[in-house]
Amino acid sequence: MLQDQVAVITGASRGIGRSIARRLAALGAYVVLCARHREDLDRFASELCSAGFRAEAFPLDLTRATQIGALAQSIRDRHSRCDILVNCAGIGQMGPPLHQLSPEDWDRLMAVNLRAPYLMIRAFAPLMIERRYGHVINISSLAGHNPLKNGAAYSASKWGLNGLTYSVAEELRDHGIRVSVIAPGSVNTEFGGGQPANPDVRLQPDDIADVIALLVQQRPQSFVSEVLIRPSTKP
Ligand SMILES: NC(=O)c1ccc[n+]([C@@H]2O[C@H](COP(=O)([O-])OP(=O)(O)OC[C@H]3O[C@@H](n4cnc5c(N)ncnc54)[C@H](OP(=O)(O)O)[C@@H]3O)[C@@H](O)[C@H]2O)c1
């Protein structure tokens, strides 16, 4: 279904990004896996290729604009296209309350959760515009719709990501590019380092991959701009 398409997924080494990458690969896309740790990505890329899918690892730190530029150049040189960009990488921090949060922690969260999606869109939108086709999907959070006590910086980064998404969607719409945001509730991953009391009442990473599969296979005349997804049982 996505046989001719190239998909770039950040945060692809584990958790939600990994499930998304596997799903896009299974749908036929050539997937470019991005995260910082090379060994995790190489292992995952080999696993996908052994299953008959097409994948490559591209380790990078999303806080470095030059590394993002190198990724985009490499994809332009080798594939001349990027059909799907999923900005999934993110970091979380619960506590302390905002008035005790260090400026360094604030900057770190904003760099990964908000500045990196901007840099990725800046790097890849030109390739999509050239082909008048593309789908950008940003992974936000319900914390971008609700207050999060002791998580104000994380929440602010996701409220910001939502605003960025709604606005850039209007900028790129006339170029045939759909920009969407998915806002999940609690998902069963290693995110933030914590283990949930009851993982069974959390969303699973594949629940988010299901939504991605729907978004990238919409018919040309439709555009699902935002999906909020919650566990059916309240944690
Ligand atoms: N889990 C939840 O409950 C939940 C709920 C709502 C929304 N979300 C959002 O969903 C997204 C994915 O969460 P997850 O649960 O899958 O998290 P996760 O399991 O902790 O995975 C995070 C991914 O991001 C990568 N990453 C982190 N910093 C990076 C950097 N500077 N440069 C490049 N890659 C970086 C990590 O790989 P490396 O460490 O190798 O770089 C990893 O692949 C995040 O945006 C998060 O805010 C999660």
Side-chain angles (χ1 to χ4, degrees):
M1 273 153 285
L2 305 178
Q3 252 69 25
D4 299 326
Q5 302 204 8
V6 173
V8 176
I9 304 103
T10 73
S13 59
R14 57 176 192 265
I16 298 170
R18 185 182 173 96
S19 284
I20 292 170
R22 173 174 283 283
R23 183 66 57 90
L24 291 174
L27 286 169
Y30 182 100
V31 293
V32 181
L33 312 170
C34 303
R36 284 168 302 179
H37 294 98
R38 176 182 292 279
E39 312 73 49
D40 297 343
L41 289 180
D42 282 344
R43 224 180 0 257
F44 184 35
S46 311
E47 198 184 293
L48 290 176
C49 292
S50 308
F53 305 142
R54 298 174 303 141
E56 73 174 68
F58 198 106
L60 88 174
D61 183 341
L62 290 161
T63 64
R64 307 291 176 90
T66 50
Q67 296 185 17
I68 290 178
L71 166 69
Q73 190 59 50
S74 150
I75 288 178
R76 178 179 284 283
D77 292 346
R78 286 172 312 112
H79 302 288
S80 310
R81 64 190 295 157
C82 173
D83 302 280
I84 299 167
L85 166 62
V86 184
N87 288 310
C88 182
I91 54 174
Q93 180 174 332
M94 283 307 289
L98 188 74
H99 67 280
Q100 294 170 353
L101 186 76
S102 72
E104 293 73 25
D105 282 346
W106 169 276
D107 287 346
R108 197 172 54 88
L109 270 162
M110 292 300 162
V112 181
N113 293 1
L114 187 54
R115 184 170 175 267
Y118 145 63
L119 290 173
M120 290 292 285
I121 290 168
R122 179 173 175 269
F124 285 99
L127 255 179
M128 294 179 172
I129 289 170
E130 281 168 26
R131 301 182 72 89
R132 289 200 59 76
Y133 182 82
H135 209 137
V136 178
I137 302 164
N138 296 326
I139 306 301
S140 180
S141 167
L142 289 183
H145 286 273
N146 304 322
L148 187 64
K149 188 178 174 185
N150 294 329
Y154 177 71
S155 177
S157 73
K158 295 300 189 180
W159 280 78
L161 184 59
N162 292 346
L164 179 152
T165 308
Y166 309 146
S167 304
V168 82
E170 293 308 315
E171 294 169 2
L172 293 180
R173 206 167 169 179
D174 291 340
H175 296 282
I177 300 164
R178 292 178 282 203
V179 185
S180 315
V181 61
I182 301 176
S186 225
V187 186
N188 190 24
T189 71
E190 299 164 27
F191 186 70
Q195 270 306 304
N198 181 1
D200 294 340
V201 297
R202 286 187 146 194
L203 293 163
Q204 299 300 322
D206 275 349
D207 296 324
I208 318 305
D210 288 345
V211 176
I212 293 272
L214 170 99
L215 294 183
V216 299
Q217 294 182 97
Q218 287 167 85
R219 288 190 288 174
Q221 73 278 8
S222 79
F223 168 34
V224 176
S225 54
E226 180 165 24
V227 176
L228 276 60
I229 172 166
R230 311 166 193 277
S232 42
T233 307
K234 201 159 183 173

